[in-house]
Amino acid sequence: MSAASRARAPQRSHRTRQSHPTPQTGQTRTSRSRTALLSAGAAVAALVLSACSSGGTSGGRGGTGFITSSDGIATVKKSDRADAPELSGTTLFGKQLDVASAYRGKIVVINVWGSWCAPCRAEAPNLVKVSEDLADQGVQFVGINTRDTSTGPARAFEEEYKVTYPSLYDPTGKLMLRFEKGTLNPQAIPSTLVIDREGKVAARSLQALSEAKLRKMIEPVLAEK
């Protein structure tokens, strides 16, 4: 073997040794990606099966188990309810609002909505009607406006539907994320939650509500002593 050949041989060997980690790393990444996709798919499938069930379903964890009826309204018995998180900030019209302090001792109905959301528009007249009917019974409605990039469209929405109750402006959804996972937390737009007089979440719906369904959510909490 010539001197030039002997000089080149180690270089070929070195390149060969370097070539092995690359396909192994690629295979590992592919395997991890597939595992993540399968896990996400399983979680989505579980949610779909739960949502499509014709009977009541249970859920929750950590002593906050709840029952979802066939009409999509989830409830939890009084002894197992979780505390509502701090809901405070600036309203669409620039006022400061702390829900717990302002409405202590009242039943609070929280509605998560966006001006761009067609189902929110469909349910808006029902929310306004029920909020006016129950105002003298200690029921206070509060909106959480989300994913509107400015307050202009949201304010126009409220003016169009003659909404008189306040809405906190939450464009990035930070207030929604304050609700503990595994409890009756808002997971869709629109979402509606009923908070009892002790500041605990009693009921939830993840769909646009008719006037009848909205009253059905509130009346059992209103009847509590």
Side-chain angles (χ1 to χ4, degrees):
M1 179 181 292
S2 66
S5 298
R6 286 194 300 270
R8 285 195 299 270
Q11 294 176 5
R12 284 197 301 269
S13 175
H14 181 63
R15 284 196 299 268
T16 301
R17 287 194 299 270
Q18 286 183 328
S19 66
H20 291 303
T22 302
Q24 290 175 355
T25 302
Q27 289 170 1
T28 301
R29 288 177 180 170
T30 300
S31 177
R32 288 175 180 170
S33 298
R34 287 175 179 170
T35 300
L37 287 172
L38 288 171
S39 298
V44 170
L47 289 173
V48 170
L49 287 173
S50 175
C52 295
S53 174
S54 59
T57 59
S58 61
R61 65 185 181 188
T64 57
F66 53 85
I67 299 296
T68 303
S69 65
S70 58
D71 59 8
I73 297 174
T75 58
V76 60
K77 63 182 180 180
K78 193 171 183 177
S79 60
D80 289 341
R81 292 173 187 168
D83 291 329
E86 178 190 352
L87 298 174
S88 61
T90 306
T91 69
L92 290 174
F93 290 86
K95 296 182 178 181
Q96 292 298 309
L97 174 63
D98 183 317
V99 172
S101 296
Y103 307 123
R104 190 180 308 278
K106 290 190 173 185
I107 294 170
V108 179
V109 180
I110 301 291
N111 178 251
V112 182
W113 64 280
S115 67
W116 44 268
C117 163
C120 299
R121 291 184 173 275
E123 71 173 358
N126 305 322
L127 294 165
V128 171
K129 177 69 166 60
V130 177
S131 70
E132 292 173 350
D133 288 351
L134 299 182
D136 62 354
Q137 298 184 50
V139 179
Q140 174 66 48
F141 279 58
V142 176
I144 296 179
N145 172 258
T146 190
R147 298 187 188 175
D148 272 310
T149 56
S150 69
T151 60
R155 291 170 68 167
F157 177 104
E158 291 205 334
E159 290 170 2
E160 178 181 353
Y161 292 102
K162 298 179 173 56
V163 179
T164 57
Y165 54 82
S167 281
L168 291 164
Y169 183 49
D170 184 32
T172 60
K174 290 181 179 179
L175 293 179
M176 295 175 67
L177 294 176
R178 290 182 182 178
F179 288 83
E180 184 181 354
K181 291 182 179 179
T183 65
L184 293 179
N185 57 324
Q187 299 176 4
I189 302 170
S191 288
T192 301
L193 299 94
V194 179
I195 300 174
D196 67 19
R197 294 181 183 90
E198 297 177 1
K200 298 178 182 294
V201 184
R204 178 192 67 185
S205 174
L206 301 177
Q207 59 187 338
L209 291 168
S210 65
E211 183 181 337
K213 283 188 177 182
L214 180 56
R215 291 184 186 277
K216 183 179 179 180
M217 284 183 67
I218 300 170
E219 285 171 356
V221 185
L222 193 58
E224 292 176 353
K225 302 299 183 183

